[in-house]
Amino acid sequence: MSQWAQALGALGALVMGLFGAANWRFPFLERYGVIGFGFGMLTWVCARFDGPAGEQPGWYDTLGSSAMLLVGVSRLIRSSRHRDSSAFGDDDHLLAAEADMLLRFYFKQDALPALDKAVDTYRDAVRHTDGAPPDVRDHAHLLKALRIRYERLRNRADLDEAVELGYAARTRRGTRSHRALLLTELSTALRLRHDHTGASEDLAQARDCGEAAVALLHPRHLLFPLCGSRLSHVLFSSYEHTGDPRRLDDALGRLRRGLDSAARRGYARTADEIRLCFLLTERGRRTGSAGDLAEAAATGDRTLARITPKDPLYASCLHHLSVAVRATGTRPEKAEDLARRALLSMTDGAPEQARAQLNHALALYDLHGARADPGRLDHALSRARSATLHPTADVPTRLRAGLVWSDIAAAERRDAEAVEAFESVIGLLPQLASQELSRADQEEQSARWAGVAVAAATSAVAAGEPAKAAVLLELGRGVLLSRTLALRTDTTALRAAHPRLAAELDDVRGDLTSPAPDLAPEAQRSVRREREARWERLLREIRRLPGFEDFARPPTADRLRALSADGPLIYLTVTARGSAAIAVTPDEIRAVPLRVTPEEVEERARVLRSCFALERVGDHRAQGPAFDVLGWMWDELVAPALSAALPARSAPPPPGGCPPRVWWVPTGPLVELPLHAAGHHRDGGPVLLDRAVSSYTPTAHALAAARGRSGPALPGGSRLAVAVPAAEGHPPLPKATGEAELVARTAPGAVSVLTGADATRDRVLAELPRHAWAHFACHAVPDPATPSHSRLLLDDHQDAPLTVADISALDLRGSRLAYLSACETSVTGPRHRDEAIHFASAFQLAGFPHVISTLWQVPDVGAYGLAKAMYDKFEAAPDDEEVARAVHAVTRLARAEMCPKLPGVWSALAHVGP
């Protein structure tokens, strides 16, 4: 046997061993394993015939036998592992195989019966293998099938079952690959639930599970691309939730690593390439990167050229390529053609159809912008309407579609259709902040769609419907506030007419307002969701009864006019498309245009914040700009509004006369302005303080509730005074104790004074139900991100803060007045302006009809002076119905005598209530 033959045979044995024993860690060797093993064996055998038998060196057969032994042992080990994890009974094997086949058939034919049968068959497989090694993998497959059915039919029970199944199975033992598969399917289900409900806890858990799944796998493992892709989805949801662009970069990076891993194994993942097109488009639009947009379009084109129209992903590829092309702004005709073809390729009624309809609407409108065509515009509006009203699409998608519908209609001056679109959007808003979510998540969900109601009112005013504008402001603002007010609706009339329903309603209301039972988080969410569904069913039943059509609803136009019997309500709106004052009087609802823009309002608010900062508010030399803003407010906001609300009262009342009442309902950035202080105070010009008594209310619904709140009356003279002169980590308030003494000295009844170490959260919560009046002299700290976490700084504020959420949860019917001599108790962050989540509204929700709040930080001495003047007024006129007039009188006194050059002091107090 020649040396060349020996070398060739040795090489064949080596090739035989390498290819025959290779696994997923060596993708190339595994992919061509059979070919390589066969070629190596053929080479080794053929080399033996190079010389007569017996001439081979001794090592030759040993080398070949060793290679074959290595291959045999490797295959035996892999086969053993496969049997341990999948070679269960014939019936069980057939069940899993049948379910797989049914799922493939569903994807090819969109056959819903096949999907249902697949879920049932996977359930049977799980029952047959419960506790056996394949248990984890079968759980993962069932979880996947449930998630797929949820994505198609939007039956929430499927998604919840998938999550519960994943949580129950994730601690079970199994191979690394099967555990990774289960974790990535659980991550996907949790991410979907977050996307559609807004639960931040789901998103955090989804990311943890996704990262754990990827960590279990080698980058060359067959499942690595799948798990990486699913984690990329989670990271993108995190980007949408937080707005952090790094999350988008992370999502792209994770997806690319998965695609690279698949490419090394010699195959392409079509779904991930489509996803890459989407992510690149998103980043390109955010950053303005032409490179990202060009790569997105190229990726989409390349993927589309490789798949056929029968591929289940064909419609998705067309859709995302259309979005990418539309984002470049260079080929609107191609974008529209792709969008139309995508729609034609989709199953009618499928949830993803709404996104395709929305994209087609935008593509059509782009073409209309390039070349005006009324027919094309009608088609675009029709597509957007269909997406908004889609029966199975998720709520966020429908909301986005509704806003596109309204924007197109408003831009084209089709104001009536814009109002119709906004009505659809506002009708969806309550579904975003389900009570199954934490309070912080509810607030976040509401903040994501801030400004919708004001934009709707602008369109209604433009359409000549000021009454509808006012109603839309009531429906679309204070969504969380309205929900709480509905829970506290008076049931006296219902109890008299329908005692059974009233009793059932009280029972459900008690469940909703009580803490969730001590259960696992998933079970608690389920309980809260069931309670909310029962409440909604009861409301629908009650509203079908004669005379109860508006039960627990925000006010209608007729009820708004009735509410204005004691004085007009004035809504103030400001948007880029127009600004208005909407005045509600007993006879009519009128709107007058305002010549202000959001930018002007924000700039004036910034000036006031600068002048009224604590280090400058007491410096009269720094107050000139503030006086200018107060004059501007009169000229541009208040005077036009009064011309509609009090047309017969253009002049101040005669000396000794009783000025009329006015209730202000500012919106958007206008909530930061002290409207009650508007006027030309330095030059003797007109001022609001000389013409009307101003009060504020976040919504007319809240005002109606404050007027109608009934309960056992507490002793009218009983008062609680809470004073914290020294809160750790904050400047001292030496006059706070003096305020408490004022309250005690002037109280006609029982008084409880909590100061220093006695002023703790638990003591305050225990004392509040016992007193009709409450006075707080302390620091307050607003939380712009989560306003329900804003807190009053009591003695134990670092360990047990007293928050807006704590006060809102109280039921103190029978209370009368809360005086909040604490800074910024009517302040909320810019993202939550429409929700009015602050201490003033919290005390009203708790049961105090009247709240005196402080708009900004006031020097300790100034706060004491205002409180002293206020309690002097209360002694002279103890009737709490005169609270608003007392605040008005004290403001006028402070402006005229106490501190006329310091508007940040004399205008700091605001009355909220009837």
Side-chain angles (χ1 to χ4, degrees), residues 751-768:
V751 178
S752 293
V753 177
L754 301 178
T755 62
D758 292 330
T760 63
R761 175 182 180 274
D762 290 344
R763 286 290 305 277
V764 168
L765 292 177
E767 289 288 342
L768 277 171

Side-chain angles (χ1 to χ4, degrees), residues 188-511:
T188 301
L190 287 164
R191 189 263 305 167
L192 269 174
R193 195 164 71 174
H194 162 267
D195 289 349
H196 296 172
T197 68
S200 58
E201 182 182 358
D202 282 344
L203 183 60
Q205 289 288 327
R207 184 168 182 176
D208 289 344
C209 291
E211 289 176 342
V214 170
L216 285 169
L217 301 173
H218 191 281
R220 298 194 194 97
H221 194 282
L222 183 64
L223 288 177
F224 184 82
L226 170 68
C227 295
S229 172
R230 299 290 182 80
L231 179 56
S232 172
H233 279 69
V234 175
L235 292 168
F236 179 77
S237 292
S238 181
Y239 157 71
E240 289 194 307
H241 183 69
T242 64
D244 185 350
R246 293 173 299 179
R247 296 286 179 264
L248 179 56
D249 293 337
D250 291 344
L252 265 166
R254 181 60 68 181
L255 187 65
R256 288 188 191 276
R257 286 195 289 275
L259 285 167
D260 290 343
S261 175
R264 286 196 296 270
R265 302 185 66 85
Y267 69 97
R269 288 180 54 85
T270 302
D272 288 351
E273 291 181 333
I274 295 171
R275 185 72 181 176
L276 179 63
C277 172
F278 166 73
L279 292 179
L280 287 166
T281 303
E282 181 67 24
R283 190 169 71 177
R285 286 194 295 201
R286 180 183 63 81
T287 63
S289 169
D292 278 343
L293 294 177
E295 184 183 355
T299 301
D301 279 325
R302 186 170 58 250
T303 306
L304 186 64
R306 197 182 65 247
I307 61 178
T308 68
K310 292 184 178 181
D311 193 300
L313 294 171
Y314 186 73
S316 177
C317 187
L318 285 168
H319 167 70
H320 287 293
L321 177 55
S322 170
V323 174
V325 172
R326 185 168 56 80
T328 65
T330 57
R331 292 174 290 173
E333 292 84 2
K334 179 179 179 180
E336 189 278 330
D337 177 66
L338 290 165
R340 177 169 41 79
R341 289 164 56 196
L343 264 176
L344 291 173
S345 302
M346 288 183 177
T347 302
D348 189 43
E352 60 269 18
Q353 185 186 40
R355 288 189 289 273
Q357 289 170 333
L358 173 57
N359 178 55
H360 194 210
L362 290 166
L364 286 165
Y365 190 58
D366 287 344
L367 279 178
H368 171 75
R371 187 173 60 256
D373 182 339
R376 189 175 287 142
L377 175 61
D378 290 339
H379 196 187
L381 289 166
S382 176
R383 286 294 194 212
R385 180 190 295 108
S386 297
T388 305
L389 304 178
H390 199 281
T392 62
D394 57 275
V395 173
T397 296
R398 293 176 62 192
L399 280 168
R400 285 190 288 269
L403 292 178
V404 167
W405 178 18
S406 63
D407 285 346
I408 294 175
E412 298 298 323
R413 311 308 299 173
R414 299 191 180 190
D415 297 307
E417 185 166 2
V419 172
E420 180 189 354
F422 276 122
E423 286 179 312
S424 297
V425 169
I426 288 174
L428 293 170
L429 289 178
Q431 299 181 40
L432 277 175
S434 167
Q435 295 196 70
E436 74 169 283
L437 302 179
S438 69
R439 177 66 187 194
D441 283 341
Q442 292 179 41
E443 293 170 13
E444 174 61 27
Q445 286 297 98
S446 297
R448 292 172 73 89
W449 307 95
V452 169
V454 177
T458 301
S459 289
V461 169
E465 297 187 81
K468 181 164 284 188
V471 171
L472 289 172
L473 286 170
E474 286 296 313
L475 293 172
R477 295 176 63 255
V479 173
L480 302 181
L481 180 65
S482 291
R483 176 186 294 162
T484 306
L485 291 172
L487 286 171
R488 298 179 181 181
T489 300
D490 182 54
T491 58
T492 303
L494 180 66
R495 187 171 289 107
H498 305 279
R500 180 192 62 81
L501 279 176
E504 190 174 355
L505 192 73
D506 288 340
D507 181 53
V508 179
R509 179 159 52 185
D511 287 342

Side-chain angles (χ1 to χ4, degrees), residues 101-111 310-312 347:
M101 179 190 67
L102 287 165
L103 206 55
R104 286 193 294 271
F105 183 74
Y106 158 72
F107 278 121
K108 288 183 179 180
Q109 302 294 330
D110 193 46
K310 292 184 178 181
D311 193 300
T347 302

Side-chain angles (χ1 to χ4, degrees), residues 408-652:
I408 294 175
E412 298 298 323
R413 311 308 299 173
R414 299 191 180 190
D415 297 307
E417 185 166 2
V419 172
E420 180 189 354
F422 276 122
E423 286 179 312
S424 297
V425 169
I426 288 174
L428 293 170
L429 289 178
Q431 299 181 40
L432 277 175
S434 167
Q435 295 196 70
E436 74 169 283
L437 302 179
S438 69
R439 177 66 187 194
D441 283 341
Q442 292 179 41
E443 293 170 13
E444 174 61 27
Q445 286 297 98
S446 297
R448 292 172 73 89
W449 307 95
V452 169
V454 177
T458 301
S459 289
V461 169
E465 297 187 81
K468 181 164 284 188
V471 171
L472 289 172
L473 286 170
E474 286 296 313
L475 293 172
R477 295 176 63 255
V479 173
L480 302 181
L481 180 65
S482 291
R483 176 186 294 162
T484 306
L485 291 172
L487 286 171
R488 298 179 181 181
T489 300
D490 182 54
T491 58
T492 303
L494 180 66
R495 187 171 289 107
H498 305 279
R500 180 192 62 81
L501 279 176
E504 190 174 355
L505 192 73
D506 288 340
D507 181 53
V508 179
R509 179 159 52 185
D511 287 342
L512 281 169
T513 55
S514 62
D518 187 15
L519 300 171
E522 279 298 306
Q524 284 192 10
R525 286 181 63 171
S526 177
V527 167
R528 290 197 297 266
R529 189 166 59 255
E530 289 171 4
R531 290 174 175 177
E532 184 177 30
R534 187 181 171 201
W535 170 261
E536 294 297 334
R537 285 195 301 270
L538 269 175
L539 287 184
R540 286 194 294 271
E541 184 177 353
I542 292 169
R543 288 167 181 167
R544 286 194 292 265
L545 300 172
F548 292 91
E549 294 83 359
D550 295 326
F551 182 82
R553 291 187 191 274
T556 61
D558 290 340
R559 290 172 60 199
L560 286 175
R561 286 194 293 270
L563 278 172
S564 68
D566 294 332
L569 283 76
I570 304 177
Y571 298 87
L572 296 178
T573 67
V574 56
T575 71
R577 290 197 298 111
S579 305
I582 304 167
V584 181
T585 65
D587 299 325
E588 62 177 340
I589 300 178
R590 295 179 57 195
V592 294
L594 301 176
R595 300 173 303 174
V596 296
T597 66
E599 293 76 19
E600 288 176 321
V601 175
E602 294 280 10
E603 174 58 22
R604 268 44 176 216
R606 187 196 63 76
V607 171
L608 288 183
R609 286 195 298 271
S610 175
C611 292
F612 297 166
L614 190 58
E615 65 274 10
R616 303 183 68 196
V617 70
D619 182 0
H620 66 87
R621 295 166 298 183
Q623 301 308 307
F627 280 109
D628 293 337
V629 172
L630 298 181
W632 174 87
M633 286 164 47
W634 171 267
D635 295 336
E636 302 297 337
L637 301 174
V638 172
L642 290 181
S643 70
L646 298 170
R649 301 293 296 269
S650 58

Side-chain angles (χ1 to χ4, degrees), residues 16-30:
M16 179 169 52
L18 284 175
F19 279 88
N23 62 13
W24 54 265
R25 289 183 173 84
F26 306 95
F28 177 82
L29 299 180
E30 183 191 33

Side-chain angles (χ1 to χ4, degrees), residues 809-831:
L810 299 174
D811 187 354
L812 304 177
R813 283 173 286 185
S815 301
R816 303 310 301 165
L817 169 67
Y819 187 137
L820 307 179
S821 184
C823 303
E824 300 177 297
T825 45
S826 289
V827 173
T828 191
R831 299 179 67 243

